[in-house]
Amino acid sequence: KNGIRPDFKRIDPTQNEKTHELICSGNTIGCFYIESPGMRNLLKKLGVRDFDTLTAASSIIRPGVVDSGMAKAFINRHNGKEPVTYLHPKMGVILKDTFGVMIYQEDVIKVAHTIAGMTLGEADNLRKCMSKKRNRKNINTYRQRFISGAIANKVKARTALEIWRQIESFAGYAFCKAHSASFAMVSYRTAYLKAHYPTEFMAAVLSNRGGFYDASAYIEEARRMGIRILLPHVNHSFNEFTAHNTFIRIGLSQVKNLKKKTIKSIL
């Protein structure tokens, strides 16, 4: 904007209320990874206002946590609607920051090591087995190792089976925490740009052909934000979509990428 390039190294993701409001409200269409209907709904349910929760949201939307049935528990516990419980006392230390819910691949490694007495190498091989090739024969081998190891560590068989059920759901693919945090950082930065430079941000999204939605959805989002969309002009348009304070001008080279219904909606 006006030649200003935001320095993200100086932007504290714990202090920017305008960005927090945008994320918490789910008004994140155009923002990396957090623009789908499911994710926007999750952001509102969690009331995301800090980076750690945004990181967690990046992971609990994945099939691993959803399939285990613990995504709902995480949301309720985060919001104080149900008490935080642990399947075994030893899991209290491991899962304290995630309200007793396994949401990262590292959680699987720690639980397998602590509850079943697996070596860290064995536990990491379990993670790989579940998250990559998902070989059923290998998973069943680890199941036997986990259950027998847990019982040897004086964990009740019923508890061991339930912990394993939750672990096995990670075969549906969960993120490691570093992956979630990296996604969350990019999500936060794009949300910051949308909150502080809305016209420039939406013009950039349109020029880069968006992400989850097609151009018509981003044009409607820009209009919802009070930004006018102007037709191409041989004297004023550039190649890309360009931002001009309260309006976006369609670029000359962008016309071919717009669907007929999108053009009709602008006319």
Side-chain angles (χ1 to χ4, degrees), residues 43-84:
L43 296 175
K44 288 188 283 188
K45 285 182 176 179
L46 285 172
V48 176
R49 286 184 173 276
D50 60 81
F51 187 74
D52 287 342
T53 307
L54 182 60
T55 300
S58 298
S59 189
I60 68 171
I61 196 69
R62 303 298 299 173
V65 185
V66 173
D67 291 348
S68 72
M70 294 304 289
K72 183 177 180 180
F74 181 93
I75 294 168
N76 288 337
R77 293 175 186 185
H78 172 79
N79 292 328
K81 293 182 178 180
E82 73 173 60
V84 177

Side-chain angles (χ1 to χ4, degrees), residues 1-229:
K1 183 176 183 179
N2 298 322
I4 298 172
R5 182 183 296 272
D7 184 357
F8 287 110
K9 292 180 180 179
R10 299 191 177 192
I11 297 171
D12 186 348
T14 68
Q15 299 295 324
N16 199 272
E17 188 61 28
K18 195 171 183 179
T19 306
H20 295 167
E21 282 294 331
L22 185 141
I23 294 173
C24 183
S25 65
N27 291 323
T28 51
I29 290 178
C31 299
F32 173 78
Y33 193 66
I34 56 173
E35 63 171 335
S36 70
M39 180 56 93
R40 287 187 286 123
N41 186 44
L42 176 60
L43 296 175
K44 288 188 283 188
K45 285 182 176 179
L46 285 172
V48 176
R49 286 184 173 276
D50 60 81
F51 187 74
D52 287 342
T53 307
L54 182 60
T55 300
S58 298
S59 189
I60 68 171
I61 196 69
R62 303 298 299 173
V65 185
V66 173
D67 291 348
S68 72
M70 294 304 289
K72 183 177 180 180
F74 181 93
I75 294 168
N76 288 337
R77 293 175 186 185
H78 172 79
N79 292 328
K81 293 182 178 180
E82 73 173 60
V84 177
T85 58
Y86 303 98
L87 288 170
H88 190 276
K90 289 182 179 179
M91 295 173 72
V93 176
I94 301 170
L95 304 176
K96 180 181 178 182
D97 294 337
T98 57
F99 308 102
V101 178
M102 288 181 282
I103 63 175
Y104 303 116
Q105 289 185 1
E106 291 92 337
D107 295 334
V108 173
I109 295 173
K110 293 175 184 177
V111 168
H113 175 63
T114 303
I115 298 297
M118 289 184 175
T119 65
L120 291 175
E122 284 182 301
D124 190 44
N125 285 333
L126 166 62
R127 177 196 63 80
K128 291 177 182 178
C129 171
M130 290 183 161
S131 64
K132 291 185 178 179
K133 295 182 180 179
R134 302 169 190 170
N135 185 300
R136 178 53 54 184
K137 183 178 179 180
N138 287 341
I139 289 176
N140 286 336
T141 299
Y142 280 108
R143 179 184 186 277
Q144 296 168 9
R145 169 69 180 90
F146 181 88
I147 300 300
S148 61
I151 292 174
N153 274 347
K154 299 181 180 180
V155 178
K156 293 180 180 179
R158 184 174 61 182
T159 301
L161 286 168
E162 174 56 22
I163 295 173
W164 175 260
R165 183 193 71 78
Q166 293 182 19
I167 286 177
E168 192 172 25
S169 73
F170 278 71
Y173 188 71
F175 279 169
C176 65
K177 189 172 184 179
H179 193 156
S180 292
S182 298
F183 270 39
M185 181 58 74
V186 179
S187 297
Y188 181 86
R189 289 179 175 181
T190 54
Y192 176 90
L193 292 174
K194 185 175 184 181
H196 293 271
Y197 307 100
T199 309
E200 290 80 4
F201 176 77
M202 294 307 298
V205 169
L206 284 161
S207 293
N208 285 283
R209 303 186 190 180
F212 190 85
Y213 307 98
D214 63 24
S216 62
Y218 296 112
I219 285 174
E220 288 307 310
E221 173 66 2
R223 285 172 165 169
R224 184 195 66 77
M225 296 163 64
I227 301 168
R228 291 187 299 145
I229 306 295

Side-chain angles (χ1 to χ4, degrees), residues 232-238 242 244 249-250 252:
H233 194 291
V234 293
N235 293 325
H236 302 297
S237 289
F238 291 87
T242 50
H244 304 273
R249 172 80 68 179
I250 298 176
L252 293 174

